Amino acid sequence: MGKYVITLEDLKKSATNYSKEILSMPVISAKATLQHMSPMAGVAGRFVVSEFDGNIELGPYDANRKGSDNVTIDSRVLETFLGSSLEEFDPNEVAKTVYGQLAAQGETLTQANIVRYTLNFFAAKLGGKLNMAIFSGKRNESGTKTAELFDGFDTITEKEITAGAIATGKGNYKKLPALTAQNAFDELNKFYEEADDVLQGVKTKLFVPRNVYNLYRKARLDNLGPVSYNKEYSTVYLENSDGLCELVPLTAKKGSKFLHLAPQSNFVFGYGDGMADEKIAVEKYHPFLVTFVATMFFGVQFRSISKEMLCVAELTV
Protein backbone atom coordinates (compact mmCIF):
# COMPACT_ATOMS: atom_id res chain seq x y z
CA MET A 1 0.00 0.00 0.00
CA GLY A 2 2.99 2.29 0.00
CA LYS A 3 2.37 5.50 1.94
CA TYR A 4 -1.24 4.69 2.79
CA VAL A 5 -1.49 3.68 6.45
CA ILE A 6 -4.90 3.76 8.14
CA THR A 7 -4.98 5.30 11.61
CA LEU A 8 -7.67 5.35 14.27
CA GLU A 9 -8.03 9.11 13.83
CA ASP A 10 -8.60 8.67 10.07
CA LEU A 11 -11.31 6.09 10.71
CA LYS A 12 -13.07 8.19 13.34
CA LYS A 13 -13.15 11.20 11.04
CA SER A 14 -14.43 9.18 8.09
CA ALA A 15 -17.11 7.51 10.22
CA THR A 16 -18.39 10.96 11.17
CA ASN A 17 -18.21 12.48 7.68
CA TYR A 18 -19.79 9.54 5.83
CA SER A 19 -22.02 8.00 8.52
CA LYS A 20 -25.23 8.01 6.45
CA GLU A 21 -23.50 6.48 3.43
CA ILE A 22 -21.88 3.77 5.55
CA LEU A 23 -25.14 3.01 7.40
CA SER A 24 -26.85 2.44 4.04
CA MET A 25 -24.18 0.01 2.89
CA PRO A 26 -25.65 -3.16 4.52
CA VAL A 27 -28.94 -2.49 2.71
CA ILE A 28 -27.14 -1.81 -0.58
CA SER A 29 -25.07 -4.98 -0.28
CA ALA A 30 -28.26 -7.04 0.27
CA LYS A 31 -29.53 -5.88 -3.13
CA ALA A 32 -29.59 -9.45 -4.53
CA THR A 33 -32.88 -9.79 -2.65
CA LEU A 34 -33.95 -6.22 -1.87
CA GLN A 35 -33.84 -5.08 -5.51
CA HIS A 36 -37.03 -7.09 -5.98
CA MET A 37 -38.81 -5.34 -3.10
CA SER A 38 -40.03 -1.87 -2.12
CA PRO A 39 -37.97 0.28 0.27
CA MET A 40 -39.34 2.50 2.99
CA ALA A 41 -36.62 4.76 4.38
CA GLY A 42 -36.63 6.56 7.71
CA VAL A 43 -38.60 3.96 9.66
CA ALA A 44 -37.60 3.58 13.31
CA GLY A 45 -39.97 1.30 15.20
CA ARG A 46 -43.57 0.67 14.14
CA PHE A 47 -45.10 2.12 10.98
CA VAL A 48 -48.60 1.32 9.75
CA VAL A 49 -48.97 0.31 6.11
CA SER A 50 -52.66 0.18 5.14
CA GLU A 51 -54.80 -1.27 2.37
CA PHE A 52 -58.12 0.38 1.61
CA ASP A 53 -61.03 -1.67 0.26
CA GLY A 54 -64.80 -1.51 -0.06
CA ASN A 55 -67.72 -1.52 -2.49
CA ILE A 56 -67.12 1.93 -3.97
CA GLU A 57 -68.82 2.18 -7.35
CA LEU A 58 -70.75 4.33 -9.79
CA GLY A 59 -74.51 3.95 -10.18
CA PRO A 60 -77.24 5.74 -12.08
CA TYR A 61 -77.34 9.40 -11.06
CA ASP A 62 -79.22 10.02 -7.83
CA ALA A 63 -79.01 13.42 -6.09
CA ASN A 64 -79.95 11.71 -2.82
CA ARG A 65 -77.36 8.98 -3.00
CA LYS A 66 -75.40 8.49 0.21
CA GLY A 67 -72.11 6.80 0.75
CA SER A 68 -72.09 3.32 2.26
CA ASP A 69 -70.31 2.31 5.41
CA ASN A 70 -68.52 -0.65 3.87
CA VAL A 71 -65.13 0.95 3.22
CA THR A 72 -62.54 -1.04 5.15
CA ILE A 73 -58.96 -0.33 6.15
CA ASP A 74 -56.74 -3.37 6.59
CA SER A 75 -53.83 -2.13 8.65
CA ARG A 76 -50.55 -3.98 8.83
CA VAL A 77 -47.54 -2.91 10.85
CA LEU A 78 -44.05 -2.67 9.43
CA GLU A 79 -41.74 -2.82 12.42
CA THR A 80 -38.04 -2.13 12.24
CA PHE A 81 -35.75 -3.12 15.07
CA LEU A 82 -32.53 -1.50 16.17
CA GLY A 83 -29.64 -3.87 15.71
CA SER A 84 -26.04 -3.46 16.76
CA SER A 85 -22.68 -4.80 15.70
CA LEU A 86 -19.27 -4.65 17.37
CA GLU A 87 -16.51 -6.26 15.35
CA GLU A 88 -12.76 -6.08 15.75
CA PHE A 89 -10.59 -5.85 12.65
CA ASP A 90 -7.15 -4.82 11.47
CA PRO A 91 -7.80 -1.69 9.38
CA ASN A 92 -4.63 -2.00 7.33
CA GLU A 93 -5.45 -5.59 6.31
CA VAL A 94 -8.91 -4.49 5.13
CA ALA A 95 -7.39 -1.43 3.46
CA LYS A 96 -5.09 -3.64 1.35
CA THR A 97 -8.16 -5.26 -0.20
CA VAL A 98 -9.84 -1.90 -0.70
CA TYR A 99 -6.66 -0.47 -2.25
CA GLY A 100 -6.58 -3.28 -4.79
CA GLN A 101 -10.26 -2.79 -5.67
CA LEU A 102 -9.91 0.96 -6.13
CA ALA A 103 -6.80 0.52 -8.27
CA ALA A 104 -8.54 -2.07 -10.44
CA GLN A 105 -11.52 0.25 -10.96
CA GLY A 106 -9.32 3.22 -11.80
CA GLU A 107 -10.59 5.27 -8.87
CA THR A 108 -8.58 8.07 -7.27
CA LEU A 109 -6.21 6.64 -4.68
CA THR A 110 -6.29 9.22 -1.92
CA GLN A 111 -5.90 8.61 1.79
CA ALA A 112 -9.44 9.86 2.41
CA ASN A 113 -10.94 7.58 -0.24
CA ILE A 114 -9.17 4.49 1.04
CA VAL A 115 -10.27 5.18 4.61
CA ARG A 116 -13.83 5.86 3.51
CA TYR A 117 -14.05 2.70 1.43
CA THR A 118 -12.45 0.66 4.19
CA LEU A 119 -15.44 1.45 6.42
CA ASN A 120 -17.87 0.88 3.53
CA PHE A 121 -16.22 -2.47 2.82
CA PHE A 122 -16.65 -3.57 6.41
CA ALA A 123 -20.23 -2.30 6.63
CA ALA A 124 -21.08 -4.17 3.43
CA LYS A 125 -20.13 -7.42 5.14
CA LEU A 126 -23.12 -6.89 7.45
CA GLY A 127 -25.32 -6.94 4.35
CA GLY A 128 -24.53 -10.59 3.61
CA LYS A 129 -26.10 -11.70 6.88
CA LEU A 130 -28.96 -9.25 6.40
CA ASN A 131 -29.68 -10.73 2.97
CA MET A 132 -29.95 -14.26 4.35
CA ALA A 133 -32.41 -13.20 7.08
CA ILE A 134 -34.96 -11.42 4.87
CA PHE A 135 -37.13 -14.55 4.62
CA SER A 136 -35.96 -16.83 7.41
CA GLY A 137 -35.34 -14.27 10.18
CA LYS A 138 -37.09 -14.88 13.50
CA ARG A 139 -37.15 -12.14 16.14
CA ASN A 140 -35.46 -13.05 19.42
CA GLU A 141 -34.86 -10.14 21.78
CA SER A 142 -32.12 -12.10 23.56
CA GLY A 143 -30.41 -13.12 20.33
CA THR A 144 -27.04 -12.05 18.98
CA LYS A 145 -27.38 -12.77 15.24
CA THR A 146 -28.90 -10.90 12.30
CA ALA A 147 -31.26 -13.86 11.88
CA GLU A 148 -32.73 -12.95 15.29
CA LEU A 149 -33.16 -9.22 14.69
CA PHE A 150 -36.54 -9.26 12.89
CA ASP A 151 -39.22 -11.59 11.54
CA GLY A 152 -38.58 -12.43 7.89
CA PHE A 153 -41.27 -13.01 5.27
CA ASP A 154 -41.37 -16.78 5.85
CA THR A 155 -41.79 -16.29 9.59
CA ILE A 156 -44.56 -13.74 9.03
CA THR A 157 -46.20 -16.17 6.60
CA GLU A 158 -46.06 -19.00 9.15
CA LYS A 159 -47.72 -16.80 11.78
CA GLU A 160 -50.48 -15.70 9.39
CA ILE A 161 -51.17 -19.33 8.42
CA THR A 162 -51.44 -20.26 12.09
CA ALA A 163 -53.82 -17.33 12.63
CA GLY A 164 -55.93 -18.41 9.64
CA ALA A 165 -55.35 -15.18 7.71
CA ILE A 166 -53.43 -17.00 4.98
CA ALA A 167 -55.57 -20.01 4.09
CA THR A 168 -57.13 -21.93 1.23
CA GLY A 169 -60.51 -20.45 2.09
CA LYS A 170 -59.06 -16.94 1.86
CA GLY A 171 -57.82 -17.60 -1.66
CA ASN A 172 -54.21 -16.73 -0.76
CA TYR A 173 -52.79 -20.18 0.02
CA LYS A 174 -52.13 -23.40 -1.90
CA LYS A 175 -50.49 -26.66 -0.92
CA LEU A 176 -48.15 -28.10 -3.54
CA PRO A 177 -46.67 -31.60 -3.77
CA ALA A 178 -42.94 -32.14 -3.66
CA LEU A 179 -41.52 -30.71 -6.87
CA THR A 180 -39.47 -32.75 -9.31
CA ALA A 181 -37.99 -32.22 -12.75
CA GLN A 182 -41.06 -34.04 -14.08
CA ASN A 183 -43.82 -32.01 -12.40
CA ALA A 184 -42.34 -28.56 -11.60
CA PHE A 185 -43.46 -26.99 -14.89
CA ASP A 186 -47.08 -28.10 -14.51
CA GLU A 187 -47.34 -27.45 -10.77
CA LEU A 188 -45.97 -23.90 -10.84
CA ASN A 189 -48.08 -22.96 -13.84
CA LYS A 190 -51.17 -24.45 -12.19
CA PHE A 191 -50.42 -22.54 -8.99
CA TYR A 192 -50.29 -19.30 -10.95
CA GLU A 193 -53.49 -20.09 -12.86
CA GLU A 194 -55.36 -20.71 -9.60
CA ALA A 195 -54.27 -17.40 -8.05
CA ASP A 196 -56.78 -14.57 -7.99
CA ASP A 197 -57.62 -13.01 -11.36
CA VAL A 198 -56.54 -9.58 -10.10
CA LEU A 199 -53.12 -10.96 -9.17
CA GLN A 200 -52.78 -12.58 -12.58
CA GLY A 201 -53.57 -9.29 -14.27
CA VAL A 202 -50.60 -7.34 -12.90
CA LYS A 203 -46.82 -7.70 -12.94
CA THR A 204 -45.74 -10.04 -10.16
CA LYS A 205 -42.72 -11.86 -8.84
CA LEU A 206 -42.65 -15.47 -7.70
CA PHE A 207 -39.90 -15.89 -5.12
CA VAL A 208 -38.49 -19.41 -5.03
CA PRO A 209 -35.41 -21.27 -3.76
CA ARG A 210 -32.71 -21.81 -6.37
CA ASN A 211 -33.39 -25.56 -6.54
CA VAL A 212 -37.06 -24.93 -7.42
CA TYR A 213 -35.97 -22.50 -10.14
CA ASN A 214 -33.61 -25.12 -11.57
CA LEU A 215 -36.35 -27.77 -11.51
CA TYR A 216 -38.74 -25.46 -13.35
CA ARG A 217 -36.20 -24.68 -16.07
CA LYS A 218 -35.42 -28.37 -16.59
CA ALA A 219 -39.10 -29.32 -16.59
CA ARG A 220 -39.84 -26.53 -19.05
CA LEU A 221 -37.12 -27.75 -21.39
CA ASP A 222 -38.54 -31.27 -21.21
CA ASN A 223 -42.05 -29.99 -21.92
CA LEU A 224 -41.39 -27.41 -24.62
CA GLY A 225 -37.99 -28.27 -26.00
CA PRO A 226 -35.05 -25.89 -26.59
CA VAL A 227 -36.99 -22.67 -27.19
CA SER A 228 -36.19 -19.21 -25.88
CA TYR A 229 -37.52 -18.60 -22.39
CA ASN A 230 -38.39 -14.98 -23.07
CA LYS A 231 -37.12 -11.84 -24.74
CA GLU A 232 -34.46 -11.26 -22.07
CA TYR A 233 -32.16 -14.23 -21.67
CA SER A 234 -31.38 -13.41 -18.05
CA THR A 235 -35.03 -13.35 -16.91
CA VAL A 236 -37.41 -16.30 -16.72
CA TYR A 237 -41.19 -15.80 -16.67
CA LEU A 238 -43.82 -18.42 -15.92
CA GLU A 239 -44.87 -19.82 -19.26
CA ASN A 240 -48.60 -19.08 -18.91
CA SER A 241 -48.28 -15.59 -17.40
CA ASP A 242 -47.90 -13.66 -20.68
CA GLY A 243 -44.67 -12.20 -19.37
CA LEU A 244 -46.28 -10.83 -16.19
CA CYS A 245 -44.85 -13.21 -13.59
CA GLU A 246 -41.08 -13.19 -13.13
CA LEU A 247 -39.61 -16.30 -11.55
CA VAL A 248 -37.05 -15.03 -9.03
CA PRO A 249 -34.57 -17.49 -7.46
CA LEU A 250 -33.03 -16.19 -4.25
CA THR A 251 -30.16 -17.45 -2.15
CA ALA A 252 -32.11 -16.05 0.81
CA LYS A 253 -34.85 -18.60 0.01
CA LYS A 254 -32.59 -21.63 0.44
CA GLY A 255 -34.39 -24.30 2.46
CA SER A 256 -37.69 -22.40 2.40
CA LYS A 257 -40.94 -24.37 2.09
CA PHE A 258 -42.87 -21.31 0.92
CA LEU A 259 -43.16 -19.75 -2.52
CA HIS A 260 -44.46 -16.17 -2.59
CA LEU A 261 -46.40 -14.67 -5.52
CA ALA A 262 -47.06 -10.92 -5.29
CA PRO A 263 -46.38 -7.56 -6.92
CA GLN A 264 -43.02 -6.06 -5.99
CA SER A 265 -44.81 -3.28 -4.10
CA ASN A 266 -46.25 -5.80 -1.64
CA PHE A 267 -42.84 -6.78 -0.25
CA VAL A 268 -41.84 -3.83 1.93
CA PHE A 269 -38.58 -3.40 3.81
CA GLY A 270 -37.95 -0.57 6.24
CA TYR A 271 -34.65 0.89 7.36
CA GLY A 272 -33.50 3.92 9.30
CA ASP A 273 -31.44 5.68 6.62
CA GLY A 274 -29.20 7.44 9.11
CA MET A 275 -31.75 8.32 11.80
CA ALA A 276 -30.76 9.65 15.22
CA ASP A 277 -30.44 6.28 16.98
CA GLU A 278 -28.30 4.86 14.19
CA LYS A 279 -24.57 5.40 14.30
CA ILE A 280 -21.22 4.38 12.96
CA ALA A 281 -18.16 4.67 15.16
CA VAL A 282 -14.66 3.26 15.40
CA GLU A 283 -13.15 2.62 18.82
CA LYS A 284 -9.95 1.02 20.11
CA TYR A 285 -10.25 -1.59 22.84
CA HIS A 286 -7.38 -3.84 21.67
CA PRO A 287 -3.66 -3.06 21.33
CA PHE A 288 -3.52 -3.94 17.62
CA LEU A 289 -7.13 -3.99 16.41
CA VAL A 290 -9.91 -1.43 16.16
CA THR A 291 -13.61 -2.04 16.78
CA PHE A 292 -16.25 -1.22 14.19
CA VAL A 293 -19.43 -0.15 16.01
CA ALA A 294 -22.72 0.08 14.10
CA THR A 295 -26.38 0.43 15.05
CA MET A 296 -29.14 0.43 12.44
CA PHE A 297 -32.87 -0.26 12.02
CA PHE A 298 -34.30 -2.94 9.73
CA GLY A 299 -37.52 -4.91 9.26
CA VAL A 300 -39.87 -6.33 6.60
CA GLN A 301 -43.62 -6.73 6.10
CA PHE A 302 -46.29 -7.54 3.51
CA ARG A 303 -48.29 -4.47 2.61
CA SER A 304 -51.31 -6.74 2.18
CA ILE A 305 -52.09 -10.44 2.49
CA SER A 306 -55.38 -10.26 0.56
CA LYS A 307 -55.78 -12.71 -2.33
CA GLU A 308 -55.58 -9.82 -4.78
CA MET A 309 -52.07 -8.99 -3.54
CA LEU A 310 -50.53 -12.27 -2.33
CA CYS A 311 -50.66 -15.99 -2.91
CA VAL A 312 -48.49 -18.40 -0.96
CA ALA A 313 -47.63 -21.95 -1.99
CA GLU A 314 -46.40 -24.35 0.67
CA LEU A 315 -44.28 -27.18 -0.63
CA THR A 316 -44.70 -30.69 0.63
CA VAL A 317 -41.37 -31.63 2.13
Side-chain angles (χ1 to χ4, degrees), residues 181-242:
Q182 288 70 46
N183 71 2
F185 180 77
D186 290 335
E187 290 296 338
L188 290 189
N189 282 314
K190 182 182 178 183
F191 166 64
Y192 180 80
E193 289 174 351
E194 293 178 350
D196 189 83
D197 285 357
V198 173
L199 198 55
Q200 291 186 57
V202 297
K203 287 186 177 182
T204 53
K205 293 180 184 279
L206 178 58
F207 292 129
V208 301
R210 173 66 64 174
N211 69 307
V212 170
Y213 176 80
N214 291 339
L215 287 173
Y216 181 82
R217 292 206 307 172
K218 186 178 189 307
R220 186 187 186 284
L221 184 64
D222 291 342
N223 277 270
L224 302 179
V227 296
S228 175
Y229 279 100
N230 35 256
K231 294 179 182 178
E232 291 186 42
Y233 178 78
S234 61
T235 306
V236 173
Y237 296 93
L238 284 186
E239 182 63 27
N240 60 348
S241 71
D242 294 325

Side-chain angles (χ1 to χ4, degrees), residues 69-95:
D69 295 324
N70 55 11
V71 174
T72 61
I73 301 176
D74 180 16
S75 296
R76 298 185 61 78
V77 176
L78 167 64
E79 185 168 9
T80 65
F81 297 91
L82 186 63
S84 63
S85 175
L86 285 86
E87 297 293 336
E88 290 183 331
F89 71 105
D90 182 337
N92 287 303
E93 286 302 312
V94 175

